[in-house]
């Protein structure tokens, strides 16, 4: 029987303390979660990671190490970014519980939960690669949890949501994030070409456009249409010059 944890990956970005990687693996395994992806960890494999994983060394042994976030998110339909901080351009928000329910409902979706660095969390660009910003409600005067503690809370909520056996929704899946990223690259290229965006002074335009399209959750066909529109604009310009 497959469980929610067959389609959830926990992504840790640039973790500096290998002990936290081990503690995260342990937090995952206690809840039944098994797929760990490490993006440029500072030191891995490492004896501290193995020691802190305790009996969860199988989660560590199966961890995938990637060079960048894009690789780590390959094939994902929904991406949730964990951050304690509010941003200038707020991203669509969910609580850990809402996030877990949502993940349980999207029956066949591949899902990533992305956690940031111990010292500086997630960058804006990393959060913008996510569909939702998930904030763990905490003491407003001291809201930054230890990385593995944050992983524990999310995995616990995922477990609770999977035990509730929420009825799967018959939604069509959004396009995998790789395709969405290629669309954003193309969109930026075209709005620079038509001089709507000045690359010297980009402001918040791409950020806002990313948020708009990410919220809309376009599927593969929608992306094909949007890419077709962009290509037609490029062809039209070439024919007129
Ligand atoms: N000082 C960092 C916090 C790092 S804590 C900052 O300013 O962002 C390491 C990671 O744990 C964070 O990047 C985030 O993924 C997760 N985390 C810690 N506390 C959290 C909270 N209250 N809500 C959501 N994620 C949290």
């Amino acid at each position: 029987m497959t469980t929610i944890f067959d389609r959830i990956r926990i992504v840790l970005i640039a973790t500096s303390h290998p002990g936290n990687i081990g503690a995260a693996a342990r937090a995952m395994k206690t809840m039944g979660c098994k797929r760990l992806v490490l993006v440029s960890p500072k030191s891995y494999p490492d004896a501290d990671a193995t020691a802190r994983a305790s009996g969860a060394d199988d989660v560590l042994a199966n961890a995938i190490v990637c060079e960048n976030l894009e690789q780590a998110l390959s094939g994902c339909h929904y991406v949730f970014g964990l951050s304690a901080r509010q941003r200038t351009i707020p991203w669509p928000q969910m609580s850990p519980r809402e996030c877990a329910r949502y993940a349980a409902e999207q029956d066949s979706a591949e899902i990533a939960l992305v956690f940031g660095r111990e010292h500086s969390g997630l960058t804006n660009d990393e959060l913008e690669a996510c569909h939702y910003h998930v904030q763990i409600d905490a003491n407003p005067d001291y809201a930054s949890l230890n990385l593995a503690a944050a992983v524990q809370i999310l995995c616990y909520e995922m477990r609770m949501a999977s035990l509730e056996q929420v009825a799967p929704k018959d939604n069509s899946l959004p396009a995998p994030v790789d395709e969405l990223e290629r669309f954003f690259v193309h969109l930026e290229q075209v709005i620079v070409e038509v001089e709507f965006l000045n690359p010297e002074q980009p402001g918040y335009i791409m950020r806002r456009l990313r948020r708009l399209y990410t919220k809309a959750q376009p599927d593969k066909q929608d992306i094909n249409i949007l890419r077709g529109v962009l290509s037609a604009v490029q062809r039209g310009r070439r024919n007129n010059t």
Side-chain angles (χ1 to χ4, degrees), residues 87-101:
R87 310 290 164 136
T88 322
I89 305 259
W91 221 241
Q93 300 251 344
M94 273 193 193
S95 70
R97 198 152 297 170
E98 286 166 334
C99 161
R101 289 232 170 89

Side-chain angles (χ1 to χ4, degrees), residues 12-142:
L12 307 184
I13 300 188
T15 310
S16 13
H17 300 294
N20 279 335
I21 299 179
R26 181 174 184 173
M28 288 168 63
K29 187 163 176 181
T30 54
M31 297 295 120
C33 184
K34 47 198 173 191
R35 294 171 58 199
L36 178 61
V37 181
L38 306 171
V39 179
S40 306
K42 200 161 174 199
S43 171
Y44 184 81
D46 188 290
D48 275 350
T50 313
R52 292 286 300 280
S54 193
D57 34 6
D58 54 330
V59 175
L60 279 188
N62 292 324
I64 295 173
V65 180
C66 294
E67 275 174 22
N68 54 46
L69 183 59
E70 212 177 319
Q71 259 178 21
L73 299 182
S74 171
C76 282
H77 299 101
Y78 291 103
V79 181
F80 298 90
L82 273 288
S83 172
R85 279 181 293 132
Q86 282 299 338
R87 310 290 164 136
T88 322
I89 305 259
W91 221 241
Q93 300 251 344
M94 273 193 193
S95 70
R97 198 152 297 170
E98 286 166 334
C99 161
R101 289 232 170 89
Y102 194 83
E105 281 168 5
Q106 317 298 321
D107 200 9
S108 50
E110 182 68 27
I111 287 164
L113 304 178
V114 182
F115 295 82
R117 300 154 189 81
E118 291 96 328
H119 296 299
S120 52
L122 294 177
T123 64
N124 284 336
D125 284 352
E126 287 160 353
L127 190 60
E128 283 159 25
C130 302
H131 290 89
Y132 294 97
H133 169 184
V134 178
Q135 221 175 348
I136 300 167
D137 189 48
N139 177 357
D141 297 329
Y142 191 58

